[in-house]
């Protein structure tokens, strides 16, 4: 189903104790804004590659996963090895990837999550579910999203309520995959004033050489 198997994960994995099934995420609008459409020159300060990038399913025993290991296991990422029930109650983190479209297209994005989740595409919130204690199976939510030609930023905020120790999500493109591929980073070089000229996701995009196009 066009599952996305590569992500960057925020270096900062925060813990907000005493989370529960009806309140899995701590809201922080300033923190959330800090992970949306960031200056790519700060990528190394904010993000690290997901430890199981490119694997689908994960290269370990997936019997304890609700999605047979095809999702993004943030509990195991935080530990640095396969451990699907090792997450800590209240952990939350951000993940990011770019959907690169050869043309403007409307796609259907499906998501499954354990526990709470917020999904933004080009800084527009498309999914928000703060209710936890569920399996990260396919698909809790499906949403149609319009993408621009070029780079489209997808950011996911995910949190664990601690009910079963699993923490993660699965995100897939259910339609429109023929004109898409994923990238972890914006291309380089970028113009020094790229952020002044235009917003890279809501403007006309970036051409093949990595420069903004008018």
């Amino acid at each position: 189903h066009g599952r996305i198997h590569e992500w960057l994960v925020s270096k900062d994995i925060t813990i907000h104790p005493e989370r529960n099934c009806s309140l899995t995420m701590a809201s922080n609008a300033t923190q959330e804004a800090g992970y949306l459409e960031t200056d790519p020159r700060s990528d190394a300060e904010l993000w690290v590659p997901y430890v199981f990038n490119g694997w689908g399913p994960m290269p370990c025993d997936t019997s304890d996963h609700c999605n047979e290991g095809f999702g993004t296991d943030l509990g195991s990422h935080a530990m640095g090895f396969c451990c699907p029930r090792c997450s800590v109650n209240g952990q939350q983190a951000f993940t990011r990837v770019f959907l690169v479209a050869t043309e403007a297209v409307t796609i259907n994005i499906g998501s499954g999550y354990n526990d709470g989740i917020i999904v933004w595409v080009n800084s527009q919130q498309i999914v928000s579910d703060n209710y936890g204690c569920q399996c990260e199976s396919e698909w809790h939510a499906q949403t149609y999203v319009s993408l621009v030609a070029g780079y489209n930023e997808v950011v996911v905020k995910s949190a664990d309520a601690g009910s079963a120790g699993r923490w993660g999500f699965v995100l897939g493109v259910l339609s429109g995959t023929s004109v898409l591929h994923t990238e972890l980073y914006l291309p380089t070089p970028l113009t020094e004033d790229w952020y002044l000229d235009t917003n890279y996701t809501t403007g006309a995009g970036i051409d093949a050489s990595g420069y903004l196009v008018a």
Side-chain angles (χ1 to χ4, degrees):
H1 292 291
R3 302 178 189 91
I4 298 173
H5 290 305
E6 63 172 354
W7 297 90
L8 296 180
V9 183
S10 57
K11 284 185 175 182
D12 187 14
I13 297 178
T14 57
I15 298 178
H16 299 270
E18 300 180 3
R19 299 290 97 184
N20 56 58
C21 292
S22 60
L23 185 64
T24 63
M25 282 187 289
S27 178
N28 187 325
T30 301
Q31 179 200 45
E32 291 164 1
Y35 285 101
L36 302 176
E37 296 186 1
T38 55
D39 185 332
R41 290 168 291 186
S42 66
D43 277 357
E45 301 171 12
L46 293 177
W47 307 100
V48 294
Y50 171 54
V51 69
F52 297 118
N53 267 346
W55 288 94
M58 291 170 59
C60 51
D61 182 6
T62 60
S63 60
D64 202 28
H65 289 80
C66 298
N67 50 44
E68 299 178 338
F70 283 98
T72 302
D73 184 340
L74 291 173
S76 291
H77 172 86
M79 295 297 292
F81 57 89
C82 288
C83 192
R85 289 187 178 270
C86 286
S87 62
V88 176
N89 183 15
Q91 280 185 307
Q92 62 183 34
F94 293 81
T95 56
R96 188 194 77 183
V97 73
F98 290 101
L99 292 178
V100 186
T102 58
E103 60 188 52
V105 63
T106 297
I107 64 171
N108 183 13
I109 290 183
S111 53
Y113 33 89
N114 182 356
D115 291 299
I117 197 172
I118 303 175
V119 181
W120 295 269
V121 176
N122 295 339
S123 291
Q124 300 300 309
Q125 182 177 295
I126 65 164
V127 177
S128 180
D129 190 346
N130 205 22
Y131 181 80
C133 304
Q134 57 195 351
C135 271
E136 64 279 19
S137 53
E138 306 165 349
W139 303 100
H140 298 154
Q142 294 188 36
T143 309
Y144 284 91
V145 181
S146 295
L147 303 182
V148 299
Y151 284 71
N152 297 267
E153 182 187 62
V154 179
V155 174
V156 178
K157 179 182 180 181
S158 177
D160 178 49
S163 57
R166 290 190 299 265
W167 171 34
F169 63 91
V170 57
L171 204 74
V173 179
L174 309 184
S175 66
T177 56
S178 62
V179 298
L180 293 177
H181 70 275
T182 57
E183 296 283 354
L184 293 180
Y185 302 96
L186 286 169
T188 55
L190 288 164
T191 58
E192 283 297 312
D193 55 353
W194 66 272
Y195 51 91
L196 297 176
D197 289 342
T198 184
N199 179 298
Y200 63 78
T201 53
T202 57
I206 296 171
D207 67 16
S209 64
Y211 287 95
L212 293 173
V213 293

